[in-house]
Every structure is written in structure tokens, then in C-alpha cells.
Amino acid sequence: MAGSATTAVVLKMAVVFVVTHPSVLERLLQEIDKADEAGLLSQMLQFKEAKHLPYLTAILNETLRLRAPQITPIPRVVPKGGAEICGYHLPEGTLVAALPWSFQARSDLFGPDVRAFRPERWLEDEEQTRMLHKSSVSFGKGSTSCVGKNVADVEMTKFLVQLFREYTVVLQDPLKPSNKVSRVTIDYINVKVRLTARKRA
């Protein structure tokens, strides 16, 4: 996912989600401004400073959950002795696979509002948050884990902080913020915004 195209997909959708959810935008700006005023953020954000921005991290986690561009199934081989999966016995050596979205749209894990964009779900309870991270497969898992995950995390975090720190972001067409296209990955095109420099104290 650290490729420029897939990272750009997540960033586009994070911006769309934030600006179309006023309460999320307000909370994010408050978090950034408070950390800024406290001197916790460099002029050009250092990634280690992101620990002071848990709500921003939650926004990225929620965007990845709902709009991860990865659409190829994650394959696994049934281990020795076979396995019971969804009520079916599969013999050892069987190749099985599941789409990432099928994991991340489970209401038993992510709550009855699983289809809603709600970053707060990543901050409500420590034990629950650990379970959500364990269930998130946006970057793959195990042998299929994206080797560029850390690079993508840095790029996305730094971009979003600088964007919302410096600019007021408004969608040009709030009723149709993007068009979805499927290629090797899912992409969202024609995301058009207007940027205005924020007045800062």
C-alpha cells in the first residue's frame, strides 16, 4: 500500500470523509491546534509527533477500514489436519481466501454502525481498540503484509496534518464528492476541493 497510487486513494477518501462530517472536522482541527499551541508539533511535522494526535490516527484507521484500495483476496493454505471454516471442513492443502472488506465490515467486531464513518470507535476502549487493530487487514497480515506500511503511515499522517493545519478544505461538489472506479485496486476520482489558507493566531 505504500505505492503512490494506493496511498493517494486513502488520502483522497480521508479528506472526503473529514469534510463531509462536520463534527469530525471540528474535533480534528481542535486536536491539531491544541497540539500546535502547546509546541508539540514541528513546523513540518515529524512522524514521532503523531502520538500527540490520536484522533487523526483514528481517522486514518477508519478510512482504511471503509475504503482500503486493496481488493485482491488474501490467500491462505489450510494447515495439516484440515480446518473448520464457516461450518465446512476443508482438507489440508486447500487454498482459501477472503476479501479484506469482509473482515472490516463485521458488525460483531466493529459495531452495529459498521457502515458508518466513525473514528471514535478506535478510541473508546483499550481492549476493543486492540481487537479492531487485530481485525484490520488493510495492509495485509503475516506473509502478505505490505512491506511499505510504515512508509505509507508516515506519508498519510504528515500530509493530513499539514493540509488541515494550513488550509480550510471545502468540496466543490458536496453532493458528488468522488467517482468510484475499479482497476487492480479501488480508486476514487474527480475529488475536487477548494483550499483557503486558515487564519491562525
Side-chain angles (χ1 to χ4, degrees):
M1 271 231 5
S4 59
T6 46
T7 303
V9 171
V10 178
L11 286 173
K12 284 186 281 187
M13 292 316 300
V15 170
V16 170
F17 278 137
V18 169
V19 299
T20 55
H21 292 76
S23 62
V24 172
L25 175 59
E26 181 181 6
R27 183 169 173 179
L28 174 62
L29 293 179
Q30 287 176 351
E31 179 176 77
I32 292 173
D33 290 345
K34 184 177 179 181
D36 222 357
E37 291 163 7
L40 300 175
L41 307 180
S42 303
Q43 185 173 3
M44 185 59 69
L45 183 79
Q46 301 298 306
F47 183 62
K48 63 183 179 182
E49 297 165 351
K51 66 184 179 183
H52 302 299
L53 304 169
Y55 195 62
L56 173 73
T57 303
I59 287 170
L60 277 171
N61 286 334
E62 187 73 341
T63 302
L64 283 162
R65 184 182 74 81
L66 289 170
R67 294 291 186 271
Q70 166 77 8
I71 58 173
T72 53
I74 301 172
R76 289 290 185 271
V77 178
V78 174
K80 186 176 181 179
E84 184 92 6
I85 301 176
C86 297
Y88 295 91
H89 178 77
L90 301 178
E92 63 183 75
T94 303
L95 184 67
V96 296
L99 291 170
W101 283 355
S102 65
F103 289 98
Q104 297 173 172
R106 288 179 53 181
S107 58
D108 59 323
L109 292 172
F110 293 95
D113 61 347
V114 67
R115 302 274 179 193
F117 177 76
R118 192 172 67 82
E120 290 77 8
R121 79 177 78 244
W122 296 86
L123 302 170
E124 290 170 340
D125 174 81
E126 275 190 40
E127 184 60 36
Q128 176 68 8
T129 298
R130 278 194 291 272
M131 182 59 70
L132 296 188
H133 281 291
K134 188 176 178 181
S135 305
S136 176
V137 291
S138 300
F139 287 97
K141 289 287 186 185
S143 62
T144 61
S145 184
C146 174
V147 296
K149 178 183 183 302
N150 293 337
V151 175
D153 280 340
V154 170
E155 292 174 334
M156 294 187 295
T157 299
K158 294 182 76 167
F159 174 84
L160 289 177
V161 171
Q162 294 302 126
L163 177 67
F164 286 104
R165 186 189 204 183
E166 302 294 340
Y167 298 99
T168 297
V169 184
V170 179
L171 287 171
Q172 287 195 354
D173 187 355
L175 298 179
K176 191 176 182 182
S178 67
N179 295 320
K180 178 179 174 182
V181 293
S182 297
R183 299 187 179 106
V184 177
T185 60
I186 295 290
D187 195 4
Y188 298 87
I189 60 174
N190 298 325
V191 178
K192 298 177 181 179
V193 299
R194 184 172 65 254
L195 302 179
T196 306
R198 288 182 68 200
K199 293 180 180 179
R200 303 171 65 197

